[in-house]
Amino acid sequence: MKSILKHIKSPEFRSLAVLIDPDKFDLKNASQFIDKVNKSIATHIFIGGSIVDAFATDALISAIKPLTKLPIVLFPGDVIQVSEQADAILFLSLVSGRNPEYLIGQQVKAVSKLRNSDLEIIPTGYVLVEGKKETSTQKVTNTKPLIKLQEIVDTAKASELLGMQLVYLEAGSGAKQAVASEIINAVKKEINIPLIVGGGIRSKLAIEKAFSAGANVVVIGTAFEEDESFFDDLLK
Ligand code: 1GP
C-alpha cells in the first residue's frame, strides 16, 4: 500500500528525514551510518542531491535498503536520480523559480521512468527561500530564493491550489540561516497540506523550533554529513 503521504498527513505525525546525497556518501560507511539512523528518531531516509552521477542513486539504495526498515524517499535534483528501488518520490516542481526546466521540463523527462513505476509519487511544491548562502540548488537551477514573506506564503498556497500534496520550504543545503519560524508559521497557517522544512538545521533545538512553528517533516543532511555524533542527541 502506498502509505508514505498518508502517514505524513496524520496531524500528530512528526517526521525527521535524514537526507543522503549519493554523490557525497561513502558506501563503505553505509552500515555504520544506517545503524545510527536506525537508532535515532529518524522516520524517513531521503535520497538526493543537486548533481549526482548516473547510477550513484541506485548503488546507494541497493547498499542501504537491506540495512533499514525506514521508507526511502527520492528527493531528486534531476531526472537521472529517479530510481525504482526507492519507496516513494517527491515529484518536485521548483515553484519559487522561473526556470521552466525545473518547473516542468525535468518532470516531463521523468515520465518515461514513472509511467509504469511502483514508486509512490508525491507531487511537491518546492519553495527555495533565502538562507544567507548561495546554495547548489540556486546555482544548478539558475533561480533566486524568495525573500519576501508574502511572496513565500503566496507561492506555497499556489502550490496547494495547483494540486500539490506537500510543500517543501527549503533554505538550501548547508544554509547559514534555516527557514525562520515566522516563515514556517505563516505558510502553515495558509496551507492545508503537510509542510516539509529543510536547509541549515543543525541542532535538536532547531528541529524543535521548526516543528513548533508548524513543520510536519524536518530534513537534515549536512549536519549528519559533517558530524555523525549529532545522531547521539537524537536517540529514540
Ligand atoms: C537540503 O533541505 C535539505 O536540500 C537539507 O539541508 O543539508 O542543510 O541539512 P541541510
Side-chain angles (χ1 to χ4, degrees), residues 10-191:
S10 40
E12 72 285 1
F13 198 69
R14 284 177 162 189
S15 309
L16 181 73
V18 177
L19 173 64
I20 306 177
D21 183 336
D23 225 35
K24 294 184 188 160
F25 191 74
D26 183 356
L27 287 180
K28 290 199 281 301
N29 194 26
S31 168
Q32 180 197 321
F33 188 87
I34 297 301
D35 187 48
K36 288 187 176 168
V37 175
N38 289 337
K39 287 177 177 153
S40 78
I41 56 172
T43 53
H44 296 77
I45 297 174
F46 282 9
I47 306 276
S50 294
I51 302 170
V52 171
D53 276 350
F55 308 116
T57 303
D58 274 335
L60 171 62
I61 300 175
S62 302
I64 67 171
K65 209 168 180 177
L67 304 173
T68 186
K69 291 195 175 93
L70 295 181
I72 296 176
V73 179
L74 298 172
F75 170 51
D78 60 29
V79 64
I80 288 172
Q81 298 173 46
V82 177
S83 165
E84 192 57 36
Q85 297 191 64
D87 299 300
I89 177 171
L90 299 184
F91 198 51
L92 303 165
S93 179
L94 183 60
V95 289
S96 55
R98 297 296 175 267
N99 182 345
E101 183 59 20
Y102 292 92
L103 276 164
I104 185 63
Q106 288 287 314
Q107 295 77 354
V108 172
K109 287 172 190 158
V111 169
S112 59
K113 287 180 161 187
L114 295 175
R115 184 175 280 117
N116 298 314
S117 165
D118 283 331
L119 290 166
E120 180 177 347
I121 300 172
I122 308 175
T124 303
Y126 191 43
V127 182
L128 188 60
V129 304
E130 180 60 49
K132 301 281 184 217
K133 182 188 163 192
E134 196 193 10
T135 58
S136 48
T137 308
Q138 269 176 259
K139 284 184 217 156
V140 170
T141 63
N142 195 22
T143 65
K144 294 256 179 279
L146 301 180
I147 297 171
K148 291 183 186 147
L149 180 62
Q150 195 59 51
E151 195 177 2
I152 296 168
V153 170
D154 290 354
T155 303
K157 186 66 182 177
S159 304
E160 180 183 12
L161 295 175
L162 278 166
M164 301 293 187
Q165 297 293 309
L166 294 175
V167 167
Y168 192 134
L169 269 184
E170 169 73 278
S173 183
K176 284 213 176 100
Q177 182 182 287
V179 182
S181 295
E182 179 201 12
I183 297 175
I184 299 172
N185 200 258
V187 169
K188 185 66 187 176
K189 274 194 189 138
E190 185 78 33
I191 61 173

